[in-house]
Amino acid sequence: MIQALVTYLIVALAAAWIFWSMILPVRLRAALRRRLGLRMVVCGMLDRAGGCGGCDCQDCPLRR
Amino acid sequence: MSEALAQQLCIALIGNPNCGKTALFNALTGSRQKVANYPGVTVERKEGIFETPGGRRIHVLDLPGTYSLRARSPDEAITRDTVLGQLATEAAPDLVVCVADATNLRLTLRLVLELKKVGRPIVLALNMFDIAERRGIGIDMDALSRDLGIPVVSTVAVRRNGIAALLRQIDRLAPESGSNGPGGWREPSAEQVRSAHGDAQRILDACVTVPGHPDIWTRRLDRVVLHPVAGILILLAVLFLIFQAVFVWAAPAMELIATAFDALAVAAQAWLPQGMLRSLLTDGFVSGVGSVLVFLPQIMILFFFINLMEDFGYMARAAFLMDRVIGGVGLHGRAFIPLLSSFACAVPGIMATRVINNRRDRLATIMVAPLMTCSARIPVYTLLIAAFVPHRSIAGFVNLQGLVMFGLYAAGIVSAFAVTFVFRKRVWRGASEPFIMELPAYKLPDPRNVLMGVLLRARIFLRRAGTVILAMMILIWFLSTVPGAPPGATDPAINYSFAGMIGHAVQPVLAPIGFNWQIAIALIPGMAAREVAVAALGTVYAVGGGKAGALGNTLAAHWSLATALALLAWYVFAPQCAATLGVVKRETNSWRWPAIMFVYMMVLAYTAAFIVYNVTTALGG
Amino acid sequence: MPPAGLVRSDAPGDEPCADIVQLGRGARGIRGTVVQVGAETGALPDCVAAAELERLLLEIGFVEGAAIEILHEGFIRGDPIAVRLDDMRVALRRREADAILVRVAGGSTHAAGSES
């Protein structure tokens, strides 16, 4: 029972992650981040031009 | 803006291709760099961070190499727009470092003259200064600095020489951060380019003395390497070596990774009770992600060779030799490396398309890369060929099974060329890009640069495998496991899952190409990785463990020859790989290209399987 | 008449002037000076516009007065070609090279000679 619960949780997380980072358009994601009050990631030069969300990189060393 | 940022400064590295710009970038930033794409375009963006002795935190951008601010391709447009401060997502640089190959100054001087019109502070870095000295090229740096009106420093990026002097100049010239407005520049006319060449020539005459005998080694090497016959033989030998290395040298490391994942699966089986979580770990994580991660050694070896060839200066020669061969169908000379890599796996192949600067050429290569027979198709091919193609010789020495295998490889290559041809003729009908390319002087590759390049690619691949690919594997596992079999069920569990339902639902569509519902079901987990379909077939036919021999016999008993051949034809073309589609999405920053890829490959696969099935049936197969 | 071996035998020979050839029709080994960049090529419709090609060639260093020599040619119909351009080497297709007119240095040309 607990196994199944954990499994469903992992699957739901994977689905949510794919939706968030791949399916959601970049601009919508940026808008959502702003709305949710998530920290605009300090992403070097991008930061000055309005923050992450313009960048679809996933490779940002400062993101973690 | 936070306080930490107030001290930050943005500089951009600009220069001709092959001027050692990336080596200088590596020397400045060390490992503190990241590679991504510019939003919306398939152009690689390299950014790094370092600190100057003056305590400034500097963000440095390695711009795509260019001869001019006037842009033809998207990557050149990126360079222009960044320097001019016209890119919405990019702050205008506070300072521009123009990197020059000290042995070949002419074109850089013209670029500097053009850059000066933008009105930003510029530092000229004469890179590869040691090579220039060794060749007896005399450069009067003070005169050069005076004539150009900008500071000039000499660097040897690969040995980190002159970096301190460059940093001093950056500190000295650094304006207040954020004081950078849009730059002024207007596209020069042909006459202006000519007059700039004249100015550059005058400066060159005044400041640089070139000995009578230029680079003899490059000339001698080129006489062999670019020879119409010897050159091609050398290229084939190099390609063969790379091919061998990717398949043979990588094998022990790949086995090690596979063994480690198997051990993980065993450990999971030992620790966890029978149930869903255990199935997720063993079937989803281990056989899914493991089957992709196993390609890491191949990717590293491949990029080792690519970086080596790029650093040595051979890449441009190879493109020269290959231009006519694959240029006829509209592929760029450089496309052969990504296409070759795709025989191992389309994922590194698509990642390797970054060696192609032009966007259209790069997209065309990305689109056909999955048609190359990747190694994940081999298990499927060998299973079906062993089960259905008689083991006999034709004409005494040609093995029929080998012939079929060869035919499958050839079908992939031929169709890739055909698809490119159609793409270039139908989709991008515009003027074909001229092939004009500098052939850089040969130089010894710098081990540090090569290694850093390899590690960078490995990091990117691991991040992909850990995010996109992992998430997709989990979803595909979910589809083929849930809902579980009802109590007392006799058929294998996958039959009752969503994958089973989808399989049964699409079976009528697949009937005309001779696929039964078992195949339709196996194709769905096969989306995770092509070879997983073999295991899935084993599951559907309830042949334990997917043992190839037993499974082959079962299939031979259940399928007609026509069905087997149709499935082979299907596998040549079908977009049966979620990882590839995910990587295409990432590399092109849009769903459009993976969607187009999926549709065109699906249509090809269906058509090919349809023809093969019906022809074989008509012939009494 | 240009000396034998100056112009590739399969190229249609309608040079405006005896010692001036289109670079795209030059044989391997010819040496000379660029006299015009952006010449009318009568190119195929899928080629880039002439003015654009002119600027492209200028930007990579094909400029009037530059010393030039055809060093190598590809193995399929001698295309593309690799030329020495002052002190650098550039590869380009013959189709684009046609826009460059070269005054061939008289006498010192050997048809097969990449020796120097």
Side-chain angles (χ1 to χ4, degrees), chain C residues 44-108:
Chain C
L44 304 165
D46 65 333
C47 198
V48 289
E52 178 64 31
L53 182 59
E54 177 184 356
R55 277 195 288 185
L56 262 178
L57 290 169
L58 282 169
E59 278 162 5
I60 204 158
F62 287 97
V63 66
E64 285 81 357
I68 206 165
E69 174 185 356
I70 299 185
L71 295 174
H72 309 280
E73 44 189 26
F75 70 109
I76 299 180
R77 282 185 267 159
D79 196 26
I81 52 174
V83 300
R84 183 176 61 78
L85 177 64
D86 286 329
D87 41 15
M88 56 190 274
R89 287 153 304 275
V90 178
L92 75 170
R93 294 195 186 129
R94 287 189 179 270
R95 195 173 74 175
E96 275 98 37
D98 270 347
I100 301 163
L101 294 187
V102 177
R103 182 185 303 279
V104 177
S108 69

